[in-house]
Amino acid sequence: MAKSPIYTRTGDGPLTSIIGGDRIPKYSLRLEAYGTVDELSSFIGNLVADDAVIDEQRVDLLKVQNMLFNIGGYLATPPAIRKPEVAGLSQENVEDMEGWIDMMDEQLPKLNNFIIPGGCEASAKANMARTVCRRAERRVLQLAAEEEINPLVFAYLNRLSDYLFVIGRYLNKFANYKEIVWQKPENL
């Protein structure tokens, strides 16, 4: 069997093919939505590669990356031919993530101030992923203004940004980095 080429030359212009064979502009909301979800997965992959991430978190983050791939496929499929549910996505996935958040949050000090991203490198990576997650959520909401999107996608992305915030705090704590607290202008 011959190896398939990575390049097809069909995307050399302003259009790209999506699931179902339609060709759409590369700047379309659909492409922005699933492209940002793909970008988010890459940022999470960068976090997964960090040695400060413990094995249990790495397993959870790999589950997230797999789900993001499913969500991306769902978003890449036009509504006329896609199923209403996202493969593998259920309320249980959202609740699992809430459990991960709760387990880490129990070990963290109470949050009394806004936290500025930073600290250890792994925490900074988690916060970069968090901001991309928020952007992905906005892009999916923009697409939802034009077509129906399964509401679990919004819940999953929203909870994921919360998870990435908490894992950033958690990584700082266990790397013995003090959280960087936002200072009001009069305190600078």
Side-chain angles (χ1 to χ4, degrees), residues 37 66-76 86 89 153 156-157:
V37 168
N66 276 283
M67 186 57 69
L68 290 174
F69 195 88
N70 295 348
I71 290 170
Y74 170 86
L75 296 171
V86 178
L89 181 59
V153 173
Y156 189 84
L157 291 173

Side-chain angles (χ1 to χ4, degrees), residues 39-158:
E39 182 182 358
L40 170 58
S41 182
S42 294
F43 273 86
I44 290 172
N46 191 33
L47 177 59
V48 168
D50 196 292
D51 291 338
V53 175
I54 62 172
D55 288 342
E56 184 178 330
Q57 293 166 336
R58 190 170 279 111
V59 167
D60 293 342
L61 288 165
L62 289 170
K63 287 178 189 175
V64 167
Q65 284 186 287
N66 276 283
M67 186 57 69
L68 290 174
F69 195 88
N70 295 348
I71 290 170
Y74 170 86
L75 296 171
T77 307
I81 62 171
R82 78 171 169 229
K83 295 179 181 175
E85 66 277 346
V86 178
L89 181 59
S90 69
Q91 182 62 34
E92 187 177 326
N93 301 113
V94 175
E95 291 167 4
D96 285 348
M97 202 174 314
E98 289 171 353
W100 304 341
I101 292 168
D102 292 343
M103 282 191 304
M104 288 185 291
D105 196 48
E106 287 173 0
Q107 301 175 56
L108 296 171
K110 183 178 178 186
L111 191 59
N112 296 314
N113 299 292
F114 289 109
I115 304 297
I116 294 176
C120 71
E121 186 173 348
S123 177
K125 289 176 183 179
N127 276 288
M128 289 178 69
R130 176 187 56 79
T131 61
V132 175
C133 187
R134 289 288 192 206
R135 181 161 35 90
E137 185 180 12
R138 292 190 303 271
R139 296 301 180 261
V140 173
L141 285 166
Q142 283 179 302
L143 183 60
E146 294 186 358
E147 64 187 53
E148 189 170 333
I149 301 290
N150 186 312
L152 279 174
V153 173
F154 308 123
Y156 189 84
L157 291 173
N158 189 271

Side-chain angles (χ1 to χ4, degrees), residues 14-28:
L15 302 177
T16 191
S17 295
I18 59 171
I19 295 172
D22 288 347
R23 295 192 49 79
I24 62 171
K26 291 181 178 179
Y27 54 81
S28 72

